Amino acid sequence: MTAVAGRIETGNLIGGEYRPSETGRTFESRNPAHSGDVVGVFPRSSASDVNAAVATARAASVGWRRTPWPSRAAIILRAAELLEERKEDLARLMTREMGKVLTEARGDVQEAIDMGKFIAGEGRRAFGETVPSELRDKWAMTMRQPFGVVGCVTPWNFPIAIPSWKIFPAIMAGNAVVFKPAQDTPACALRFVEVFADAGLPPGILNIVFGFGSEAGSALVEHPDIAAVYFTGGVDVGRTVSETCGRMLKKCSLELGGKNAIVVLDDADIELAVDGALWGAFGTAGQRCTASSRLIVERGALDEFTSRLLDRTSRLRLGDGLDETVDVGPVINESQLRRIHSYTDIGRADGATLLIGGEIARDGALAEGWFYPPTVFADVTRSMRIAQEEIFGPTTVIMPATSLDDALDVANSTRYGLSLSVYTNDLRKAFRAIHELHSGIVYVNAPTIGAEIQLPFGGTRDTGNGHREAGGHVLDEFSEWKSIYIDYSGRLQRAQIDTE
Ligand code: NAP
Ligand code: MG
């Protein structure tokens, strides 16, 4: 399968103009299925580029804040429609740039379309409250106001969907944005941002600064005029971002890692659970924050589940995601490939049994890219590193459980709390699990992936810092409340004192 042709050469998009980095330095984005294929060359930005973007955004934000909500919403809706028109091209670019198979890349773009349409509806809602005052002839109400200029920093695994979760609501609420996408997916980010310009968003409201997290990313987070930071990525970087924001008294919303589990109880529909495990563990080559990286199986179902899972796993096809017969694409880059493989060694050393996979794939055309086969370990116990640490690759582990309580306890036994699932046909057990699983998302008879944008998304414990994206309360993350008191009595009235 040959890659799509064409090489993008671009600058940062600041105030509607493409500008090279001030140092003139660049970096490349490459196709993980064919590492010789350069998708594009992008500016490697530093603090001075970030400063320029923030200053531009700040100047532009005043007019945007004063633009009526429905007028802002009309541009957002137009952007969603343009994404719809460009869905196939964007999906193909995504597969080429980060490897996920084409069906999943289409789903990634679809999520952004859904988000845009959903958020556009807020343009005629964005309700505040009118509440009684304790004093006569006094009016009390609330309204939302934007933060000002906000920063968005995103990972490569959902290169359009994740930026859409942040950027649509941020600009809907009247903020201006400076966006630092992942260094592995700058081309997807560029095409996404261009949609807004084509939809009529005024220059300077959405600015993109390409580059590395340790340079452009940290400069953005540390910039004093960035009032709020929306970050999705790993726990260690998230902690650093949070420390900076804490010191600078900025709002900081973190969506971090996961070590998600599917619980399969004895009474479950085993074939359905196997379908879910395959999709949950190996979709996006396991590079999802919600990947089903643990399969906790009650003893009575263990043998049947394991043998069916192995049979189905052995039939998955690895390859370039643009080939529609391929089930599992490459992983994002060489260092990630080596990291995933290191966990196979760790699993073996800790005493787990490797059932399938476990070797870097180098047959034929696979040698041109970064491919790791679906890998399954059995006999995994909760203290093993492969049961605790996020691998972010197509590796999953089977963990036996002795009962419902034991299974739920194992499911809750990591530092993360993003997505947990249970397969059972027993209503009582399902509801026990819904209440006892300690995570932001719970699925019943479905795998740990498959979030829809009209529900909140995020996790407990080390998965984040208590925030949720998407869902009906999404504007709470992207705006601040203003409380307004209007006294029309014509005299001084003192709250708490002059009450009747
Ligand atoms: P990452 O290394 O934390 O990077 C995320 C973003 O932060 C990238 O844009 C990165 O830039 C930037 N960055 C790196 N260091 C920075 C710093 N010091 N200051 C500011 N920004 C910095 O994560 P990743 O490896 O790309 O993505 C995988 C992780 O994301 C996994 O842990 C996964 O679970 C998590 N994730 C979570 C969710 C969720 O919603 N909970 C969703 C998807 C992924 P570079 O690209 O230059 O490194
Ligand atoms: Mg790449």
Side-chain angles (χ1 to χ4, degrees):
M1 193 76 206
T2 52
V4 198
R7 174 194 286 224
I8 295 167
E9 298 213 11
T10 190
N12 292 320
L13 189 55
I14 299 176
E17 285 170 26
Y18 292 95
R19 302 190 199 168
S21 65
E22 288 193 13
T23 61
R25 289 189 303 176
T26 58
F27 69 98
E28 289 176 345
S29 168
R30 286 172 181 262
N31 179 340
H34 307 274
S35 59
D37 173 28
V38 177
V39 179
V41 182
F42 297 83
R44 183 171 156 185
S45 309
S46 54
S48 53
D49 304 298
V50 169
N51 292 346
V54 175
T56 301
R58 198 173 168 200
S61 69
V62 179
W64 187 240
R65 171 163 60 78
R66 292 178 182 152
T67 303
W69 285 73
S71 305
R72 297 199 297 251
I75 293 171
I76 288 172
L77 184 60
R78 180 73 193 126
E81 288 166 353
L82 287 174
L83 285 173
E84 209 159 27
E85 285 171 21
R86 299 175 192 179
K87 179 174 171 179
E88 189 61 22
D89 286 349
L90 290 169
R92 287 182 176 275
L93 176 67
M94 189 183 298
T95 298
R96 179 181 169 205
E97 187 170 48
M98 62 69 69
K100 69 171 69 172
V101 298
L102 199 49
T103 2
E104 292 181 39
R106 291 185 186 119
D108 192 304
V109 181
Q110 187 59 47
E111 204 167 312
I113 296 165
D114 296 343
M115 193 68 186
K117 291 183 177 176
F118 180 70
I119 291 296
E122 291 297 332
R124 291 186 187 272
R125 270 192 304 270
F127 301 124
E129 294 172 309
T130 304
V131 290
S133 165
E134 64 188 36
L135 297 165
R136 281 177 194 266
D137 299 330
K138 192 171 176 189
W139 189 262
M141 64 185 183
T142 64
M143 61 182 259
R144 294 183 182 278
Q145 59 186 339
F147 286 99
V149 185
V150 304
C152 300
V153 180
T154 56
W156 45 265
N157 64 334
F158 282 86
I160 291 187
I162 290 178
S164 85
W165 285 42
K166 302 180 193 304
I167 290 169
F168 276 126
I171 63 176
M172 179 71 265
N175 301 287
V177 174
V178 178
F179 170 32
K180 204 302 279 179
Q183 62 175 277
D184 284 301
T185 49
C188 290
L190 172 74
R191 294 292 180 243
F192 178 62
V193 164
E194 286 174 344
V195 160
F196 288 82
D198 294 346
L201 187 71
I205 304 305
L206 174 56
N207 307 278
I208 188 164
V209 177
F210 297 103
F212 297 174
S214 54
E215 299 167 359
S218 57
L220 181 60
V221 173
E222 286 162 15
H223 197 294
D225 288 341
I226 291 290
V229 174
Y230 302 91
F231 174 85
T232 298
V235 170
D236 294 340
V237 179
R239 199 181 299 282
T240 308
V241 168
S242 174
E243 282 166 3
T244 303
C245 291
R247 185 166 35 80
M248 299 182 79
L249 304 181
K250 295 180 184 195
K251 180 187 170 65
C252 171
S253 162
L254 304 174
E255 297 284 354
L256 309 175
K259 189 69 183 177
N260 316 288
I262 291 178
V263 170
V264 183
L265 298 179
D266 282 350
D267 72 285
D269 177 338
I270 301 298
E271 195 59 25
L272 185 67
V274 169
D275 282 340
L278 287 168
W279 173 231
F282 306 131
T284 320
Q287 304 167 110
R288 292 181 181 235
C289 52
T290 54
S292 308
S293 53
R294 296 178 298 151
L295 310 170
I296 301 165
V297 188
E298 212 178 350
R299 287 271 177 213
L302 189 60
D303 289 347
E304 189 187 346
F305 178 85
T306 304
S307 69
R308 288 201 199 191
L309 181 76
L310 274 187
D311 173 51
R312 298 274 303 278
T313 303
S314 69
R315 288 191 261 142
L316 295 175
R317 251 197 92 204
L318 202 57
D320 184 335
L322 287 173
D323 174 346
E324 300 221 34
T325 65
V326 159
D327 300 296
V328 181
V331 300
I332 188 68
N333 55 37
E334 187 175 10
S335 73
Q336 196 58 20
L337 180 71
R338 302 213 173 281
R339 188 170 171 276
I340 293 164
H341 187 51
S342 76
Y343 274 99
T344 298
D345 295 333
I346 290 167
R348 279 207 193 93
D350 281 352
T353 309
L354 178 65
L355 295 181
I356 191 167
E359 288 297 338
I360 292 174
R362 294 201 173 90
D363 293 347
L366 298 183
E368 291 174 26
W370 317 123
F371 289 94
Y372 206 74
T375 296
V376 181
F377 275 100
D379 305 319
V380 174
T381 56
R382 66 173 92 182
S383 62
M384 291 182 186
R385 285 182 61 192
I386 54 172
Q388 291 294 331
E389 297 175 18
E390 185 177 49
I391 299 173
F392 226 58
T395 301
T396 193
V397 305
I398 300 176
M399 307 176 74
T402 52
S403 63
L404 170 65
D405 283 335
D406 184 40
L408 299 180
D409 198 43
V410 174
N412 288 333
S413 70
T414 75
R415 65 196 286 211
Y416 298 108
L418 185 52
S419 182
L420 296 169
S421 116
V422 62
Y423 279 79
T424 178
N425 286 313
D426 183 330
L427 191 65
R428 282 174 293 179
K429 290 181 175 172
F431 271 88
R432 277 282 317 286
I434 289 168
H435 286 283
E436 299 302 324
L437 289 172
H438 189 23
S439 56
I441 304 167
V442 170
Y443 291 91
V444 177
N445 291 334
T448 55
I449 65 181
E452 301 178 31
I453 57 92
Q454 65 278 22
L455 280 76
F457 184 90
T460 63
R461 294 174 283 164
D462 284 4
T463 293
N465 58 350
H467 297 278
R468 295 289 183 272
E469 292 189 319
H473 304 280
V474 58
L475 286 180
D476 290 349
E477 294 296 311
F478 295 90
S479 61
E480 293 190 283
W481 286 112
K482 180 180 275 178
S483 299
I484 301 134
Y485 301 92
I486 304 159
D487 191 321
Y488 55 97
S489 68
R491 61 185 186 280
L492 174 68
Q493 297 197 88
R494 297 169 300 175
Q496 293 88 40
I497 296 168
D498 295 332
T499 52
E500 295 168 15

